[in-house]
């Protein structure tokens, strides 16, 4: 089958002979319809994040239609449209047993430890596919996983109705956080230097940070992940407030414990979601019309232009995603 | 000064010689602008709820302008517009110390244990007056207190974004619950026989219970308080769901512990709010534009027509309230 | 193999030709060492709770040693000592996805929907067996499952350190609740007419309800399940307090919504535990030495005397359990 | 009256002519029985923490007997033994209204913004005195306030029964945290270089960190406040775990957001307690026999030897406190 193969750092090729996925007894095979791209895809693409070997297929945000079902699967069927939850927990370690599958010591990750989804088809555990309505646009399939990340961050932060929240960064993650905050009745204020991104956030209902009455907030969501924003992010937290760190980097971040204690600040590192409760909760909110993953999507590329899509990740105001209709329609 | 005096069960008179309030050192005097009426006012009016003696002034939902300030008050000033929190906790009993002022053993209540607010002016502890913008319509002053009851019920229930909630009864309390649920990103479904009330709820964004997919809900809010709804309310709770009881009556409600345990139902009796956190939280949501107390108000009566207003409580679809402009404008 | 077969309501026989369990790919076979008996076993025994057909093997509280491992199991091994979690969730329904496996619509239950464990060996899903130290006495294996029920009830109730709690009934479930409360730093007060049971509870560290200063409690745990205790249980709840209902019956329980609301009471139906977090949390507490399942066990019967053990369930002060050494030691 | 007056940085004198306190209408006057000393007292003593002027009376942990009652106080009486809550919130700012009095913008603090309690008598707001049994030893009065700090830290951290917790530092705050953890059914492991302090912690029931199975913990409490422990404290947090920072300093503490996010660490700055819920909750636990403030106290000094007591704060393994019997008994 066809796949987008990373053949060397920074170089992908569309290949025709990628091996067809073999579903295990508990797997389903999904024919891909849409794949979103994010920063971690870029770090695989440019070689900064190691993968088991080359050529490699990456891409981990997306979904499509079930075209085959493993022998032990009795709750999924051919033809269902699904989004894929791309982190597979072992379900048996102490972290999993206490409900924190995101901290699973043996977590398998699509595109990092297992072949990703920039391919015609992929085999994934049935439990990690989530049936959705066939009315979903493909863009929503491509953007649902990062929405789960955002919605999980917001849910765990227990944001009160009417609370003013600072969102640092209005890349796609920042925009999804804004969307989730708005759905929960909170008011996001956005700090973002890129005018196009800021504008997109304002369109969703966010306000510019400059309009805020006061320069601290009970809740701050840091999504930019660049070293320069650590200090403004930390300082913007009001007394007894919370800083939710979503974007990250490997440079030292500093503060003093005196300040942390005196201001009673809480800092939370927010990685991903726990299985299955967070995909479930986000799906509930989408189904109810409170969230719309595709609202944030801005640039659509056919699969043949994956390289251009990758280049766009850092340039365009919103999300780049790849749609697979050309591969589906051509035999 | 003028006041609406209950002179006998079911009979009120407007009197001119009600004693002017004397503020204590920690009190302020509020010139009333608007007063809402609710079922508990009716039960005082018709004599079914005992009061210290007749003549009596009732009314407990409302606000106005501060016209005098006690000697020990340094954080309120003449001219401020305020809403009144009408339950005064002693602040020293075990309930108050653990944060549950609503369970204060020695709680003073406007219109029940102390003179109410259907008068030109009333003295209340400064801590129990909440400054608001002068842009608030008087109807919002009249309807804020019941909104706090509703918003407290919703906040404590930890409603997830996107959750389907059943609201039983679409009187003013039911409508305020709907408003609060919508602000929190949940979807209220309403069960209400009165077509006008139902229509008002639907206008806010609720849906008719008949449109719900399935007859159980993770969260049920009972606001009607009539015996006939206990059974449908209880039965509508989904497994592991919660029934929040706001309306009440003194007839036996029945269930079996077998069913309660097998379905893992939680039943919560929701009385009022705790001081000061709940007025504060609701005010935050109103200030942020997420809630608008006056949305529910439907019938305005001048103070001279208080009797008609009382009659309307059980008849009109929304809230009856009394506006005081005639008393303010006439010397 | 041998098993204790229910051949008619109220009549069990030890049979030699019960079919050997066939483990599925994800199952393990456990050689049973100890089985506890509880009220629900009695209701199967006396025919009041229906089972798929007769003869039938019941018993659902217990554990033993793994003697065979299914082909797809890679995290359990022969020789491990395990306790069995006897409620198997489907993992795919909405209840399971939101973390409430106890409300699984398709829950399989040992002894009720699947063959129970009063047999030499039983096949169960590997995920529902919990490895424990070989130092555990067999009595602990027999009593762990009901301890999880108790510990889950206490954990969910968020009991503050130092809180006075009323425990109604000091049968084995009441005693396990006392144990769990003491481990959490709370003080159980026990209401129990049977002097021997009361004495056992006092030995654990509980106090008699008569010694309590005041007749209400912030937390009440009802474990007796008889109609006569509903009223004292409900009335003993302090304002803003919580009644956790563990024992149950099918007779009407009554209250008025007026009282529920005025006192702000919460009533919670507590069925069982959720998979896997509750077994995990209880095991952590046992491993840390905070809980000891066998503390409550009082009457040991060899498997040959299962009928006597069943008779004892309602008579003896503590827990009846069956030990299997005679079956293990005889070839 | 007599008082211990700080007359210059590092120099205290006992003076005979300190002005007698004048209680306001809402105050009581407390005849002091015992005062604990802590690091913040030292920083006032040595001049590193500024105070309004010299001479100055410091000391903020303690209690005694009520000897006078303000005109507006009706719930305290002469002769009651009380502990003093030394942080007085304004009750009207946004922080106070949302329940976080510890973040009150206008907080008054005994010994920092108002005269402290190293004096024969002191006037404090009646609401900030907590009646206790006359059976309490004076050492318990002296050590209760820091116990509230510790117990608040532990309560807010939601420590599960049986959880292994690392406590860094076994000075008096570390020991109080250990005590509170043990009361909640958790197991403290202590990291402390001072052998005497470590020994005291082990006597309470803590274990040495070296005995822990694994070098990470779901909960870490940092009480030492020296720069050198930041790194081991942060690194000891297990995935999804929490670091509660109680001790502090003004040197930069570092981490990377990459690590914080990948390990999903939460860092919480824990300052003090909120009024009134935390004193109330700690008092409940002490009254129930779950906590005993005096367990940690180790060195008693008569008030005449306050200088020696101050010198001892950094030297002795436990808590230094000052008892006032010589001043009470002498006319």
């Amino acid at each position: 089958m066809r796949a987008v193969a990373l053949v060397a750092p920074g170089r992908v090729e569309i290949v025709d002979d990628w091996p067809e996925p073999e579903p295990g007894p508990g797997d389903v095979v999904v024919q891909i319809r849409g794949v979103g791209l994010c920063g971690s895809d870029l770090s695989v693409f440019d070689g900064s994040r190691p993968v088991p070997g080359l050529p490699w297929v990456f891409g981990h945000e997306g979904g499509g239609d079930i075209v085959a079902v493993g022998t032990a699967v009795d709750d999924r069927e051919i033809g269902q449209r699904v989004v894929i939850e791309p982190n597979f927990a072992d379900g048996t370690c102490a972290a999993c047993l206490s409900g924190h599958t995101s901290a699973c010591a043996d977590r398998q990750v699509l595109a990092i430890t297992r072949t990703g989804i920039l391919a015609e088809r992929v085999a994934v555990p049935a439990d990690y596919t989530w049936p959705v309505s066939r009315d979903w646009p493909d863009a929503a399939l491509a953007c649902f996983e990062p929405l789960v990340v955002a919605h999980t961050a917001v849910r765990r932060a227990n944001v009160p109705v009417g609370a003013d929240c600072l969102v640092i960064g209005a890349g796609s993650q920042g925009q999804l956080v804004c969307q989730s905050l708005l759905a929960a009745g909170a008011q996001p204020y956005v700090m973002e230097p890129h005018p196009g991104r800021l504008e997109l956030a304002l369109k969703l209902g966010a306000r510019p940070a400059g309009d805020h009455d006061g320069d601290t907030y009970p809740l701050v969501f840091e999504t930019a992940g660049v070293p320069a924003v650590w200090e403004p992010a930390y300082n913007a937290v009001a007394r007894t407030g919370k800083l939710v760190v979503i974007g990250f980097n490997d440079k030292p971040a500093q503060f003093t414990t005196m300040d942390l204690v005196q201001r009673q600040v809480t800092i939370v590192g927010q990685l991903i979601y726990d299985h299955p409760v967070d995909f479930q909760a986000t799906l509930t909110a989408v189904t109810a019309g409170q969230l719309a993953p595709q609202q944030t999507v801005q640039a659509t590329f056919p699969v043949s232009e994956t390289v251009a899509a990758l280049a766009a990740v850092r340039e365009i105001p919103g999300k780049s995603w790849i749609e697979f209709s050309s591969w589906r329609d051509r035999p």
Side-chain angles (χ1 to χ4, degrees), chain A:
Chain A
M1 66 172 187
R2 281 164 291 189
V4 178
L6 179 72
V7 293
R11 218 180 89 225
V12 296
E13 279 175 14
I14 288 171
V15 297
D16 276 305
D17 56 351
W18 195 262
E20 201 57 55
E22 290 291 328
D27 290 344
V28 296
V29 176
V30 178
Q31 173 89 26
I32 299 297
R33 297 184 66 90
V35 174
L37 296 176
C38 78
S40 76
D41 294 311
L42 282 190
S43 61
V44 170
F45 175 62
D46 66 18
S48 58
R49 183 157 185 178
V51 288
L54 297 182
W56 182 249
V57 170
F58 59 100
H60 64 283
E61 307 171 347
D65 296 322
I66 294 179
V67 292
V69 169
T71 53
V73 175
D74 58 5
D75 50 10
R76 295 292 184 283
E77 56 190 44
I78 290 174
Q80 279 184 310
R81 187 147 300 164
V82 295
V83 286
I84 297 169
E85 181 176 357
N87 286 274
F88 313 144
D90 67 16
T92 61
C93 66
C96 287
L97 294 175
S98 61
H100 299 125
T101 67
S102 54
C104 173
D106 195 32
R107 183 156 54 90
Q108 297 295 307
V109 188
L110 280 183
I112 303 297
T113 66
R114 294 173 46 144
T115 297
I117 65 174
L118 275 169
E120 284 188 274
R121 284 170 291 282
V122 65
V124 289
D127 287 352
Y128 288 81
T129 61
W130 293 82
V132 300
S133 161
R134 296 188 72 88
D135 296 339
W136 278 36
D138 292 346
L141 302 178
C143 211
F144 185 75
E145 194 265 359
L147 177 61
V148 181
V149 174
H151 194 54
T152 300
V154 171
R155 285 201 313 126
R156 288 183 187 160
N158 286 322
V159 183
V161 171
D164 287 354
C165 302
L166 178 64
V167 178
I168 297 185
S172 60
Q173 190 57 229
Q175 288 178 42
L176 293 166
V177 168
C178 287
Q179 215 190 111
S180 190
L181 286 170
L182 288 160
Q187 178 57 56
Y189 286 80
V190 172
M191 187 181 290
E192 165 64 60
H194 187 304
R197 287 178 173 163
L198 181 58
E199 192 187 342
L200 279 173
L202 303 189
K203 248 190 234 167
L204 289 171
R207 297 181 189 155
D211 285 6
H212 189 248
D213 178 23
D215 56 358
T216 65
Y217 300 79
L219 288 147
V220 177
F221 294 85
E222 203 308 79
T223 73
V226 293
V229 301
W230 166 254
E231 208 167 294
Y234 176 76
N235 290 335
V237 183
R239 280 165 182 268
T240 74
K242 193 180 285 185
L243 169 57
V244 180
V245 182
I246 302 172
F248 59 78
N249 63 79
D250 62 0
K251 297 296 174 294
Q254 279 195 354
F255 65 97
T256 70
T257 50
M258 173 177 283
D259 179 77
L260 181 92
V261 170
Q262 298 284 5
R263 289 200 293 136
Q264 305 187 66
V265 168
T266 297
I267 304 170
V268 183
Q270 167 67 25
L271 184 58
I272 50 167
Y273 31 78
D274 291 315
H275 178 77
V277 290
D278 291 319
F279 261 70
Q280 164 78 355
T282 310
L283 206 46
T284 298
V286 171
T287 305
Q290 292 293 330
L291 296 175
Q294 69 275 20
Q295 263 196 300
T296 302
V297 173
Q298 291 301 320
T300 312
F301 297 82
V303 63
S304 55
E305 291 178 30
T306 298
V307 173
L310 285 161
V313 168
R314 295 228 166 86
E315 301 307 318
I316 63 153
K319 182 111 196 145
S320 298
W321 73 284
I322 293 168
E323 63 91 24
F324 280 66
S325 59
S326 61
W327 281 8
R328 281 200 317 277
D329 301 342
R330 207 183 51 171

